[in-house]
Amino acid sequence: MTTCVQPRIAGRTTGLLAVGLAGALAVMAAAETTVVLNDVTQQAGIRFHHTDGSSGRHYIVESVCCGLATFDYDGDGLIDIYFLNGAPLRGAATDGPPPRNALYRNLGDWQFTDVTDQAGVGDTGYGLGVTVGDYDNDGYPDLYLNNYGPNVLYHNNGDGTFTDVTAAAGVGAGDKVGAGACFLDMDGNGQLDLYVANYVKFTYDNHVERTFDGYPEYAGPKDYEPEPDMLFRNNGDGTFTDVSLESGIGARAGSGMGMVCADYDDDQDTDIFVLNDVAGNFLFQNDGHGRFEEVALLAGVGYNGHGHELGSMGVDCGDYDHDGRLDFYMTSYSGEMPVLYRNLGGGTFDDVTLLTGAGRGCFRDVNWGTGFIDLDNDSHRDLFVANGHLQDNIDQYDGSTSYRATNVVLKNMGDGRFADVSANAGAGMRVKLSSRGAALDDLDNNGQVDLVVLNSRSPATVLRNESRTDNHWLQVRLCGTRTNRDGVGARVTVTTGTQQQIAEVHSGRGYQGHFGSRLHFGLGQHTLVDRIEVRWIGGGTEVIEMVGADQLVTIVEASPSSRD
């Protein structure tokens, strides 16, 4: 069921009631988890198979591909899937049709069909990162691909087709090794700007060959010069201007990987958190006008709690402990722990990974895609982590890890701790491949969030959420009128009883991918939401009261004249 509502209460925010941990809960045993995820890839008709374009020469770009996106491209209310693919690198066989990206349209009832040709989005470039956003505010979500080589901006024509407008828009970004990408409204003017992360300065001519105990292996990011990221300002006429230097973004070079844009300091503008591989991360604090200061070290998110740089991979944000502040979770390399950065307020974070158990089940493997999501609708945000090594022959010389690995579900116990429930969370969690990007969205509109995983050199995996629960839920879709159409950057607060949950609309997240444009809230046993508050980027704050559970609510931004 979908309900479209116009807020009846308007005005500026007057402050949120910050609720801490929801009280001590009995810790359930891992074997008793209600989370069940089952593999439905074949029955869903997903036939996508990823290639990294490898030839045995171990070019570094092979080791870091790639992400995927879930979004409703045709406006029919069903979430579709867009997979990135690699391309033949120098020395690779080129027989047969070239690999390309693939768009699968959701037909409902767990049936998908490949519409790549019809839609015109079968890019044959070397895909690494992807994001989704309605950059021209015409009501249709557009696609941006961050490639090794020329990037691509696909404009959604609104009739099921897309047009490559990269050159006209001015966002090609040059011939670089791409990484994550995000749309954001950096100055609150209602237009989505574009952040493009870059990895390292790799070319075929500067390829570094590495071996370990006589085995060939992929070089690391420290074998190459880092690459500055890029920021493009939306001119409001279908074109963008490169403002990397004047904004402060281009002043620093890094080895970008996953990223997410979020208002971490709660000052009502959007900041940028970029992971750098085996280097300090970047946290760009926004002054509200699209100028940024890099503050990761001061904020406590540049390194882990021991001051170590990590093989940072994917990142997401969410309020795992109900204190009204967005926390960050980032994945990392094998033999390292992922990091849960708890937001302490005042612009600072603390590494609470060991304290909370948020790294359980992840230490032995390389971790990639990740997301905060409430899988069993108990009102506490769980964590999903996609695993798989990047060294394709690691099994031959290191018994502590493996190229193919199972993924991890960390259940939020509601008392500030996480439990690894993967082994008992359904047959889908026994799939063992070398996973990369992951997307978390409700694919069948039943109120339970499903998962799609892109696996390197393998078929994709689609996991249906069949969790055993009678908990309730609410989903929120925003429609901006004065602010950007998708509500990117807007913050939603949902209140049920004494508990508050917050979430923001993000364009780009996880490992170089995109998901979750519709915000999902588990409600536990609550059948009624007392209050939904929306704080728009560059706009006001609006409130809806007394909303029934178990539905998707579309909130249309009120006009200024309708506000109190």
Side-chain angles (χ1 to χ4, degrees):
M1 176 180 179
T2 300
T3 300
C4 186
V5 297
Q6 192 81 9
R8 67 175 183 81
I9 301 176
R12 301 302 298 175
T13 181
T14 57
L16 301 177
L17 175 62
V19 179
L21 296 177
L25 299 177
V27 178
M28 68 175 66
E32 298 174 352
T33 180
T34 56
V35 175
V36 178
L37 301 169
N38 285 320
D39 184 355
V40 295
T41 312
Q42 290 301 311
Q43 75 178 68
I46 302 294
R47 303 290 182 261
F48 175 79
H49 191 290
H50 174 262
T51 176
D52 61 5
S54 55
S55 64
R57 300 187 182 187
H58 288 82
Y59 299 119
I60 190 172
V61 294
E62 302 165 23
S63 66
V64 293
C65 67
C66 54
L68 75 158
T70 49
F71 70 115
D72 182 5
Y73 86 94
D74 54 357
D76 65 354
L78 296 168
I79 301 295
D80 311 296
I81 307 171
Y82 187 69
F83 294 103
L84 296 189
N85 214 338
L89 299 173
R90 182 179 292 179
T94 56
D95 296 337
R100 62 176 186 171
N101 300 345
L103 176 63
Y104 280 83
R105 184 184 177 209
N106 190 339
L107 303 177
D109 296 323
W110 286 101
Q111 295 298 305
F112 291 78
T113 187
D114 187 336
V115 294
T116 310
D117 287 336
Q118 300 95 304
V121 291
D123 183 49
T124 56
Y126 200 99
L128 291 168
V130 59
T131 192
V132 176
D134 183 4
Y135 76 89
D136 57 353
N137 288 327
D138 66 354
Y140 305 107
D142 310 299
L143 273 170
Y144 186 78
L145 314 182
N146 198 2
N147 292 339
Y148 167 46
N151 294 348
V152 178
L153 175 61
Y154 283 120
H155 176 259
N156 190 331
N157 301 318
D159 59 0
T161 70
F162 292 76
T163 299
D164 182 346
V165 297
T166 315
V171 291
D175 192 8
K176 304 178 187 296
V177 180
C182 289
F183 284 106
L184 72 154
D185 184 355
M186 65 181 180
D187 49 10
N189 69 350
Q191 305 290 338
L192 288 181
D193 312 296
L194 176 63
Y195 190 104
V196 180
N198 295 309
Y199 191 45
V200 294
K201 295 181 178 180
F202 164 81
T203 67
Y204 290 120
D205 293 334
N206 70 2
H207 169 54
V208 175
E209 296 185 3
R210 290 286 182 191
T211 61
F212 182 85
D213 284 350
Y215 295 96
E217 67 174 10
Y218 289 102
K222 287 188 176 294
D223 290 310
Y224 300 90
E225 291 184 46
E227 183 83 79
D229 297 338
M230 304 183 73
L231 181 63
F232 295 92
R233 184 183 63 219
N234 191 330
N235 298 322
D237 59 359
T239 69
F240 292 77
T241 298
D242 184 348
V243 294
S244 307
L245 292 179
E246 64 192 77
S247 65
I249 297 299
R252 293 177 177 270
S255 46
M257 295 288 267
M259 62 173 296
V260 66
C261 297
D263 184 8
Y264 81 93
D265 53 0
D266 201 20
D267 64 353
Q268 302 189 44
D269 57 41
T270 301
D271 312 294
I272 304 170
F273 187 38
V274 185
L275 302 190
N276 288 313
D277 192 5
V278 198
N281 301 321
F282 292 154
L283 179 60
F284 290 107
Q285 185 181 41
N286 193 345
D287 70 353
H289 303 285
R291 292 184 294 273
F292 296 85
E293 179 183 3
E294 204 290 295
V295 297
L297 184 61
L298 293 175
V301 296
Y303 306 91
N304 70 5
H306 300 287
H308 298 156
E309 58 189 23
L310 301 174
S312 307
M313 301 296 187
V315 62
D316 196 18
C317 66
D319 181 13
Y320 82 94
D321 55 357
H322 298 292
D323 65 357
R325 296 187 287 264
L326 290 174
D327 312 294
F328 289 122
Y329 184 79
M330 62 163 259
T331 56
S332 192
Y333 202 71
S334 62
E336 301 172 348
M337 295 291 277
V339 183
L340 175 58
Y341 293 108
R342 181 171 184 256
N343 192 332
L344 304 178
T348 62
F349 293 79
D350 188 25
D351 179 347
V352 295
T353 312
L354 294 177
L355 180 67
T356 60
R360 291 188 174 116
C362 299
F363 182 79
R364 74 178 297 272
D365 299 309
V366 181
N367 322 135
W368 301 85
T370 190
F372 275 107
I373 200 68
D374 188 351
L375 290 169
D376 55 2
N377 288 333
D378 66 353
S379 79
H380 307 299
R381 294 191 181 273
D382 311 302
L383 285 163
F384 178 82
V385 179
N387 296 320
H389 216 284
L390 60 86
Q391 300 294 351
D392 54 2
N393 55 7
I394 191 72
D395 301 76
Q396 299 178 48
Y397 59 86
D398 187 348
S400 68
T401 185
S402 61
Y403 179 65
R404 296 175 178 82
T406 53
N407 299 323
V408 169
V409 169
L410 296 170
K411 178 172 171 53
N412 187 334
M413 308 306 293
D415 59 358
R417 292 177 291 171
F418 291 84
D420 181 2
V421 299
S422 313
N424 299 289
M429 295 305 297
R430 293 193 286 274
V431 174
K432 191 172 185 179
L433 293 167
S434 192
S435 299
R436 295 295 186 267
L440 295 73
D441 255 315
D442 183 358
L443 299 179
D444 57 356
N445 291 339
N446 72 342
Q448 293 185 316
V449 175
D450 311 292
L451 296 97
V452 186
V453 182
L454 186 145
N455 304 299
S456 183
R457 304 182 184 177
S458 298
T461 308
V462 180
L463 302 180
R464 181 168 60 197
N465 189 342
E466 300 177 0
S467 298
R468 302 180 294 267
T469 175
D470 60 357
N471 290 326
H472 299 281
W473 54 275
L474 182 77
Q475 292 177 3
V476 177
R477 176 182 175 269
L478 300 183
C479 181
T481 55
R482 296 185 310 121
T483 60
N484 73 82
R485 184 64 60 91
D486 291 338
V488 173
R491 179 172 295 192
V492 175
T493 303
V494 168
T495 302
T496 50
T498 60
Q499 185 187 77
Q500 288 188 335
Q501 299 182 59
I502 66 168
E504 285 184 355
V505 181
H506 298 133
S507 164
R509 63 200 301 186
Y511 183 69
Q512 303 181 170
H514 172 92
F515 59 89
S517 297
R518 295 190 324 206
L519 302 181
H520 181 92
F521 300 88
L523 303 178
Q525 292 297 298
H526 291 277
T527 59
L528 184 70
V529 173
D530 299 319
R531 175 184 170 97
I532 304 173
E533 179 177 283
V534 182
R535 190 176 76 191
W536 303 91
I537 283 289
T541 298
E542 301 168 351
V543 173
I544 305 162
E545 295 179 328
M546 302 305 171
V547 177
D550 302 328
Q551 63 173 318
L552 167 64
V553 176
T554 297
I555 300 176
V556 180
E557 183 182 15
S559 63
S561 61
S562 69
R563 289 197 170 101
D564 294 338

